[in-house]
Amino acid sequence: MRRTARGIVVLACTTLALTLAACGGEDDPSGESGQKTDPAALKAELTWWDTSDPKNEGPAFQELVAKFNQTYPNVTINYQSVPFGEAQNKFKTAAQAKTGAPDILRAEVAWVPEFASLGYLYALDGSELTSDESDFLATPLSADKYDGKTYGVPQVTDSLALLYNKELLTKAGIATAPATWADLKAAALAVKQKTGVDGVYVNPAGYFMLPFMYGEGGDLVDAQAKKIVVNSAQNVAGLNVAKDLIASGAAPKPAANDAYGTMMTLFKEKKVAMIVNGPWEVNNIKNAPTFGGLENLGIAPVPAGSARAGAPVGGHNYVVWSGMPQEKVEAAIAFVKFMSSAESQGFLADRLGLLPTRKSAYELDTVKNNPVISAFRPVVESAVPRPWIPEGGQFFGPLDQLATQVLVQNKDPKAALDEVAGKYKSEVVPSYGM
């Protein structure tokens, strides 16, 4: 049976005067009329799996943990950095075995409905974590809903944008960021001709193929109609746009191994003028010794295809493992509440350029005056929503293979997409039609 934070809180209220969770009756779900516990008296040990980049983002999150401990000195946070690419399966394996899973996880948005459907997460309804949902942006919050209940708290939201080196584009005589993929191809070829460096790098990964597919009006599945549409003519056209950037010389052939790392190294070293990436890399670019700082970083919406400009919605949420002992509930709620507060989100926005999920965080001076946040906010607001279904997190394994096949191995896009559709049907959403 799936457990809820509300149910645990009710049980715990017989022995604990809870600080942040609801201890009142059904008419007082916020618990604001209940007695508050001295934060210094709260004692617990929590394990948190942080799936952010350990070098670029991890130190800032550890600073927030230290700030949390200034108020809650006796709540020990066992901070563990877990590689993002391993965390999804690692958490599922531990949760299924009912041992070794973290009390709190930084989960990618698509993981939440999947984990909730498996019974691996606490529903947070009735706790103080859901008492101010109106302060969260609608799209990030929607990723935490499953079967009518709330299973996570939005941490950051993001999308993909066109990041470009202002100096290189200026040298190539390009005054404005490319607005279409055709514009980008022309700009990239001009950069290569006039500066000698590559114009754009295309990362061969599934998530990074979505702007090309969305740009032609494509999608992966039609969740409402329960139909697989990944091998549509629109998606074939989108992949051909990406493939043509390489064939034309506008982009170099991507690396077969660690293409993402190669892309970031080349961009930071000013050996490629344009990339498509998200706000999580801003701090990394800012600290690159030869790039030229944020003053040299341009940020624009991803270029449009024939149908639209479309970037995917991304982000991460805080979730709580359903196997966490009841005696840790109060501390877990206090920790997630602190980490997801407007002040904490403002800190991360200022330090890392990460986009807040709270409306009130955008009213903070450090956020309002941040040029990176200002540039990315319209990108996120116009991003294409992903289907928040339990299988959503499983779409990208086959897409990653497709991206490598098409962009590195030169496979026909239609054949590759047909293989993905077959895998979706046999392994991911077998109840969907084709």
Side-chain angles (χ1 to χ4, degrees), residues 405-426:
Q405 290 171 345
V406 171
L407 299 183
V408 179
Q409 300 169 0
N410 202 32
K411 185 169 183 174
D412 175 67
K414 180 65 167 83
L417 286 166
D418 283 342
E419 286 187 11
V420 173
K423 288 182 180 179
Y424 282 6
K425 179 65 176 176
S426 62

Side-chain angles (χ1 to χ4, degrees), residues 141-197:
L141 184 63
S142 68
D144 287 306
K145 305 289 186 178
Y146 174 73
D147 199 21
K149 293 183 179 179
T150 302
Y151 288 92
V153 178
Q155 182 202 45
V156 297
T157 187
D158 61 52
S159 187
L160 294 173
L162 179 67
L163 307 184
Y164 59 95
N165 185 308
K166 294 179 180 179
E167 177 188 351
L168 290 175
L169 262 64
T170 298
K171 286 182 178 180
I174 300 166
T176 59
T180 68
W181 291 118
D183 292 342
L184 180 135
K185 177 182 176 180
L189 289 171
V191 167
K192 188 170 184 178
Q193 179 184 7
K194 295 180 180 180
T195 71
V197 306

Side-chain angles (χ1 to χ4, degrees), residues 48-54 80-96 99-112 114-115 118 120-121 315-317 319 321 393-394:
W48 176 37
W49 282 6
D50 179 16
T51 58
S52 70
D53 183 271
Q80 296 181 14
S81 178
V82 178
F84 175 77
E86 302 174 9
Q88 183 181 13
N89 288 332
K90 187 174 182 178
F91 179 82
K92 286 197 292 186
T93 299
Q96 184 179 28
T99 181
D103 302 303
I104 299 163
L105 170 72
R106 176 185 181 266
E108 205 270 346
V109 286
W111 302 351
V112 178
E114 177 188 13
F115 294 165
L118 295 171
Y120 296 160
L121 304 180
H316 295 84
N317 306 318
V319 296
W321 177 39
Q394 300 173 43

Side-chain angles (χ1 to χ4, degrees), residues 53-366:
D53 183 271
K55 293 183 179 179
N56 179 34
E57 300 173 299
F61 286 108
Q62 292 181 66
E63 281 189 55
L64 280 180
V65 171
K67 290 185 177 183
F68 169 78
N69 281 138
Q70 292 175 6
T71 302
Y72 295 90
N74 295 311
V75 177
T76 300
I77 304 299
N78 180 14
Y79 176 93
Q80 296 181 14
S81 178
V82 178
F84 175 77
E86 302 174 9
Q88 183 181 13
N89 288 332
K90 187 174 182 178
F91 179 82
K92 286 197 292 186
T93 299
Q96 184 179 28
K98 299 181 180 180
T99 181
D103 302 303
I104 299 163
L105 170 72
R106 176 185 181 266
E108 205 270 346
V109 286
W111 302 351
V112 178
E114 177 188 13
F115 294 165
S117 71
L118 295 171
Y120 296 160
L121 304 180
Y122 277 124
L124 303 175
D125 305 86
S127 76
E128 195 169 343
L129 295 177
T130 59
S131 64
D132 60 350
E133 285 190 345
S134 62
D135 189 39
F136 286 99
L137 299 173
T139 299
L141 184 63
S142 68
D144 287 306
K145 305 289 186 178
Y146 174 73
D147 199 21
K149 293 183 179 179
T150 302
Y151 288 92
V153 178
Q155 182 202 45
V156 297
T157 187
D158 61 52
S159 187
L160 294 173
L162 179 67
L163 307 184
Y164 59 95
N165 185 308
K166 294 179 180 179
E167 177 188 351
L168 290 175
L169 262 64
T170 298
K171 286 182 178 180
I174 300 166
T176 59
T180 68
W181 291 118
D183 292 342
L184 180 135
K185 177 182 176 180
L189 289 171
V191 167
K192 188 170 184 178
Q193 179 184 7
K194 295 180 180 180
T195 71
V197 306
D198 286 315
V200 63
Y201 194 101
V202 182
N203 182 35
Y207 189 73
F208 291 77
M209 293 298 96
L210 293 180
F212 295 99
M213 296 179 180
Y214 290 161
E216 301 304 314
D219 210 331
L220 305 182
V221 298
D222 182 337
Q224 186 172 2
K226 293 187 178 298
K227 184 178 180 180
I228 297 167
V229 297
V230 69
N231 57 339
S232 67
Q234 293 91 334
N235 284 345
V236 173
L239 290 185
N240 276 323
V241 170
K243 192 173 181 181
D244 178 64
L245 290 175
I246 298 168
S248 67
K253 185 176 181 179
N257 297 308
D258 193 22
Y260 184 93
T262 300
M263 173 180 71
M264 290 311 304
T265 297
L266 293 174
F267 188 67
K268 290 187 295 183
E269 293 180 354
K270 300 199 290 189
K271 295 177 181 177
V272 65
M274 296 176 284
I275 62 173
V276 172
N277 216 331
W280 56 85
E281 284 292 356
V282 168
N283 190 57
N284 194 12
I285 296 167
K286 178 179 69 175
N287 293 329
T290 61
F291 184 80
L294 293 182
E295 296 78 10
N296 192 38
L297 176 63
I299 301 171
V302 294
S306 63
R308 59 181 175 180
V313 172
H316 295 84
N317 306 318
Y318 295 104
V319 296
V320 180
W321 177 39
S322 59
M324 183 187 69
Q326 296 176 7
E327 59 268 21
K328 293 185 177 183
V329 169
E330 183 181 7
I333 291 176
F335 180 67
V336 173
K337 181 181 173 70
F338 174 87
M339 296 293 286
S340 62
S341 68
E343 292 73 20
S344 292
Q345 291 192 8
F347 170 82
L348 294 174
D350 183 55
R351 181 65 60 86
L352 301 176
L354 300 182
L355 275 67
T357 58
R358 284 188 179 273
K359 301 172 187 176
S360 57
Y362 286 93
E363 301 305 315
L364 299 173
D365 288 341
T366 54

